Coordinates of all heavy atoms in Angstrom, one line a residue:
A1 N -10.7 -1.0 -8.2 CA -12.2 -1.1 -8.0 C -12.9 -0.1 -9.0 O -13.8 -0.4 -9.7 CB -12.5 -0.6 -6.6
H2 N -12.3 1.1 -9.1 CA -12.8 2.0 -10.1 C -12.7 1.5 -11.6 O -13.7 1.8 -12.3 CB -12.2 3.4 -9.9 CG -12.6 4.2 -8.8 ND1 -11.8 5.2 -8.3 CD2 -13.5 3.9 -7.8 CE1 -12.3 5.6 -7.1 NE2 -13.4 4.8 -6.8
E3 N -11.7 1.0 -11.9 CA -11.5 0.4 -13.2 C -12.5 -0.7 -13.6 O -12.9 -0.9 -14.7 CB -10.1 -0.1 -13.5 CG -9.0 0.9 -13.4 CD -7.6 0.4 -13.5 OE1 -7.5 -0.8 -13.4 OE2 -6.7 1.3 -13.6
M4 N -12.9 -1.4 -12.5 CA -13.7 -2.6 -12.7 C -15.2 -2.4 -12.4 O -16.1 -3.2 -12.6 CB -13.3 -3.8 -11.8 CG -12.1 -4.5 -12.1 SD -11.8 -6.0 -11.4 CE -13.1 -6.9 -12.2
G5 N -15.6 -1.1 -12.0 CA -16.8 -0.9 -11.8 C -17.4 -1.5 -10.4 O -18.4 -2.1 -10.3
V6 N -16.5 -1.5 -9.4 CA -16.8 -2.1 -8.1 C -17.1 -1.2 -7.0 O -16.3 -0.3 -6.7 CB -15.5 -3.0 -7.6 CG1 -15.7 -3.6 -6.2 CG2 -15.3 -4.2 -8.6
P7 N -18.3 -1.2 -6.4 CA -18.7 -0.4 -5.3 C -17.6 -0.7 -4.0 O -17.7 -1.7 -3.6 CB -20.0 -0.5 -4.9 CG -20.5 -1.4 -6.1 CD -19.3 -2.2 -6.7
I8 N -16.8 0.3 -3.6 CA -15.7 -0.1 -2.7 C -15.9 0.8 -1.6 O -16.1 2.0 -1.6 CB -14.4 0.0 -3.3 CG1 -13.4 -0.7 -2.3 CG2 -13.9 1.3 -3.7 CD1 -12.0 -0.9 -2.9
T9 N -15.7 0.2 -0.2 CA -15.8 1.0 0.9 C -14.7 0.6 1.9 O -14.4 -0.6 2.1 CB -17.1 0.6 1.7 OG1 -18.2 0.9 0.9 CG2 -17.2 1.6 2.9
G10 N -13.9 1.6 2.4 CA -12.7 1.3 3.3 C -13.0 1.4 4.6 O -13.9 2.3 5.1
L11 N -12.4 0.7 5.5 CA -12.5 0.8 6.9 C -11.2 1.3 7.4 O -10.1 0.8 7.3 CB -12.7 -0.5 7.7 CG -12.7 -0.4 9.1 CD1 -14.1 0.0 9.7 CD2 -12.3 -1.8 9.7
H12 N -11.2 2.7 7.8 CA -10.1 3.4 8.3 C -9.8 3.1 9.8 O -10.8 3.0 10.5 CB -10.2 4.9 8.0 CG -8.9 5.6 8.2 ND1 -8.6 6.3 9.5 CD2 -7.9 5.9 7.3 CE1 -7.4 6.9 9.3 NE2 -7.0 6.7 8.0
P13 N -8.6 3.2 10.2 CA -8.3 3.0 11.6 C -9.1 4.0 12.6 O -9.4 3.6 13.7 CB -6.7 3.2 11.8 CG -6.2 2.8 10.5 CD -7.2 3.3 9.5
G14 N -9.4 5.1 12.0 CA -10.3 6.0 12.8 C -11.8 5.7 12.9 O -12.5 6.3 13.6
D15 N -12.1 4.6 12.2 CA -13.6 4.2 12.2 C -13.8 3.1 13.3 O -15.1 2.8 13.4 CB -13.8 3.5 10.8 CG -13.8 4.4 9.6 OD1 -14.1 5.7 9.9 OD2 -13.6 3.9 8.5
Y16 N -12.9 2.9 14.1 CA -13.2 2.2 15.4 C -12.3 2.6 16.5 O -11.3 2.9 16.3 CB -12.9 0.6 15.1 CG -11.6 0.3 14.4 CD1 -10.4 0.0 15.2 CD2 -11.5 0.3 13.0 CE1 -9.3 -0.3 14.6 CE2 -10.3 0.0 12.3 CZ -9.2 -0.3 13.2 OH -7.9 -0.4 12.7
E17 N -12.9 2.4 17.6 CA -12.2 2.9 18.9 C -12.5 1.9 20.0 O -13.6 1.6 20.4 CB -12.7 4.3 19.2 CG -12.2 4.9 20.6 CD -13.1 6.1 20.9 OE1 -14.1 6.4 20.4 OE2 -12.6 6.7 22.1
I18 N -11.4 1.5 20.7 CA -11.6 0.6 21.9 C -11.9 1.5 23.0 O -11.3 2.5 23.4 CB -10.2 0.0 22.2 CG1 -9.8 -0.9 21.1 CG2 -10.2 -0.7 23.5 CD1 -8.5 -1.7 21.3
L19 N -13.0 1.1 23.8 CA -13.5 1.8 24.8 C -13.0 1.3 26.2 O -12.7 2.0 27.1 CB -15.2 1.7 24.8 CG -15.8 2.2 23.7 CD1 -17.3 1.9 23.7 CD2 -15.6 3.8 23.4
S20 N -12.9 -0.1 26.2 CA -12.4 -0.6 27.5 C -11.7 -2.1 27.1 O -12.3 -2.8 26.2 CB -13.4 -0.8 28.6 OG -14.4 -1.7 28.3
Q21 N -10.8 -2.5 27.9 CA -10.2 -3.9 27.6 C -9.8 -4.4 28.9 O -9.2 -3.8 29.8 CB -9.0 -3.6 26.6 CG -8.4 -4.9 26.3 CD -7.1 -4.7 25.3 OE1 -6.9 -3.6 24.9 NE2 -6.5 -5.8 25.0
G22 N -10.1 -5.7 29.1 CA -9.6 -6.4 30.3 C -10.3 -7.8 30.4 O -11.4 -8.0 29.9
D23 N -9.6 -8.7 31.1 CA -10.0 -10.0 31.4 C -10.5 -10.8 30.1 O -11.6 -11.4 30.1 CB -11.2 -9.9 32.3 CG -10.7 -9.4 33.7 OD1 -9.6 -9.9 34.1 OD2 -11.4 -8.7 34.3
G24 N -9.8 -10.6 28.9 CA -10.3 -11.3 27.7 C -11.4 -10.8 27.0 O -12.0 -11.4 26.3

């Protein structure tokens, strides 16, 4: 991205958090 001049943004595993899960 840096070589091509591309604005790049990463999504790290710490950027999302499961609050609750159940019944699909």
Side-chain angles (χ1 to χ4, degrees):
H2 288 168
E3 291 173 356
M4 291 195 64
V6 170
I8 190 166
T9 307
L11 177 80
H12 190 269
D15 291 332
Y16 50 89
E17 173 192 8
I18 293 178
L19 301 176
S20 63
Q21 179 178 3
D23 297 323

